């Protein structure tokens, strides 16, 4: 397979609408995707994920910008001439064809020899775990198996980039988790470039080399799962990836990469911070639920509003002067567990606080 790099340059899509005003679905986004990279477009419904993907595939015409695959502009090519393949949420299989013929369909259109087709399809059947199901009709398959056929049908074309639009949304929770590992494994094994669209942050985190967080047709942040989780650049990103507690404070001092902030009537010193701040500047502290705990000696007094045993952790919700705070206390078996209505103290791991 020859994985290609994908360049998206100032890509724009405006849907005209006389009545409500034009919809700027994709607002001049740019990104470079490396050959073999797995990039996920993540964002809430309506942020422009599908429109972006459909412009890459050629189903939608951009109103501005360019798309280059393997260094060449594909903007003016019809979908069948683009060296892209798409896996849809609805599978879009041919119901009148069996599994083998569904997968072989594109190769037949390309007029490959019978033997070549047989070799390629056999290889893909093994890769996607569909061996033995060749002669089944698609209505004799489970949802997971249908999704595998859709994936196989795209992979067999050996496209320069493989596109996925929420491919796991129709599967039950357990199968979804299983399939995301599987898709990632197959993508790695064949080394294909992939652009994956989802609104599910867990899917994005577990599958991607890089995540692109979209908001209102613009890129809110782009980075590896760890970067976006530990270093969100906005409250929007912080809340979209995982759970985030947000505290608004005022800078007391900034020195040698350590910040002192006054927040909710307390001073927190030694918060790591690369950025320059001045005394009196407002700042936002992002604290992940696992970077704090409920324990004696904690800085903030809090009211426990929820306490739920989750097995590996105790889930707390706390109220601090009207601000809601979520805490994951690991291995609760070894700790004092607080009940709703109790007063407790919240401790923050200062080194794990992120400032924006
Ligand atoms: N064919 C269309 N005509 C007009 N507006 C559209 C069309 N397709 C999508 N939109 C609008 O563009 C925006 C982005 O949609 P979409 O790309 O489907 O978002 P997502 O996939 O992230 O949910 C939305 O406001 C949507 O209503
Ligand atoms: Mg969509």
């Amino acid at each position: 397979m020859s994985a290609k790099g994908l360049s998206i340059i100032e890509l724009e899509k405006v849907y005209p609408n006389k009545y409500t005003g034009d919809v700027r679905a994709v607002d001049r986004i740019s990104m470079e995707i490396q050959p073999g990279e797995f990039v996920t477009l993540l964002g809430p419904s309506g942020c422009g994920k599908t429109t972006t993907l459909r412009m890459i595939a050629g189903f939608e015409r951009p109103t501005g910008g360019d798309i280059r695959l393997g260094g060449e502009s594909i903007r003016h090519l019809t979908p069948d001439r683009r060296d892209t393949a798409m896996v849809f949420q609805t599978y879009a299989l041919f119901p009148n064809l069996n599994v083998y013929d569904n997968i072989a369909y594109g190769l037949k259109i390309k007029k490959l020899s019978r033997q070549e087709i047989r070799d390629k399809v056999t290889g893909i059947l093994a890769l996607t775990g569909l061996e033995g199901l060749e002669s089944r009709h698609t209505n004799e398959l489970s949802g997971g198996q249908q999704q595998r056929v859709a994936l196989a049908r795209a992979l067999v074309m050996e496209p320069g980039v493989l596109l996925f639009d929420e491919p796991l949304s129709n599967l039950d929770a357990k199968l979804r988790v299983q399939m995301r590992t599987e898709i990632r494994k197959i993508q790695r094994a064949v080394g294909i470039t992939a652009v994956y669209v989802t609104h599910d942050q867990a899917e994005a985190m577990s599958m991607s080399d890089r995540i692109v967080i979209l908001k209102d047709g613009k890129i809110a942040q782009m980075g590896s799962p760890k970067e976006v989780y530990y270093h969100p650049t906005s409250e929007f990103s912080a809340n979209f990836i995982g759970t985030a507690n947000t505290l608004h404070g005022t800078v007391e001092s900034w020195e040698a990469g350590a910040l002192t902030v006054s927040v909710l009537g307390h001073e927190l010193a030694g918060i790591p911070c690369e950025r320059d701040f001045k005394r009196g500047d407002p700042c936002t502290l992002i604290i992940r639920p696992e970077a704090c705990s409920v324990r004696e000696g904690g800085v903030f007094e809090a009211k426990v509003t929820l306490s739920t045993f989750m097995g590996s952790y105790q889930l707390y919700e706390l109220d601090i002067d009207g601000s809601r705070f979520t805490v994951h206390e690991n291995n609760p078996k070894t700790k004092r567990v607080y009940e709703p209505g109790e007063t407790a103290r919240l401790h923050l791991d200062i080194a794990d606080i992120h400032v924006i």
Side-chain angles (χ1 to χ4, degrees), residues 15-16 23 25-26 43-52 60 165-166 197:
Y15 291 109
V23 177
V26 177
S45 176
C47 72
K49 304 181 294 293
T50 294
T51 304
T52 303
E60 208 71 68
D165 193 1
E166 313 234 8
V197 159

Side-chain angles (χ1 to χ4, degrees), residues 120-134:
K120 283 185 192 281
V121 174
T122 307
I124 291 293
L125 283 166
L127 189 67
T128 51
L130 287 167
E131 286 157 314
L133 298 175
E134 295 87 321

Side-chain angles (χ1 to χ4, degrees), residues 97-146:
L97 301 181
N98 66 20
V99 168
Y100 185 95
D101 290 328
N102 259 283
I103 300 172
Y105 185 83
L107 300 175
K108 284 182 184 161
I109 301 274
K110 273 176 106 181
K111 302 217 185 323
L112 266 62
S113 75
R114 233 187 150 76
Q115 188 57 46
E116 271 179 296
I117 293 177
R118 182 151 295 280
D119 289 347
K120 283 185 192 281
V121 174
T122 307
I124 291 293
L125 283 166
L127 189 67
T128 51
L130 287 167
E131 286 157 314
L133 298 175
E134 295 87 321
S135 52
R136 288 264 188 102
H137 272 265
T138 55
N139 61 8
E140 299 167 326
L141 299 174
S142 70
Q145 287 167 334
Q146 289 182 49

Side-chain angles (χ1 to χ4, degrees), residues 32 37-38 46 83 110 136 154 156 163 196 227 300 324:
E32 284 291 331
E37 199 179 10
F38 193 112
D83 198 18
K110 273 176 106 181
R136 288 264 188 102
V156 83
L163 309 171
Y196 190 98
E227 274 161 15
F300 299 101
R324 207 174 79 166

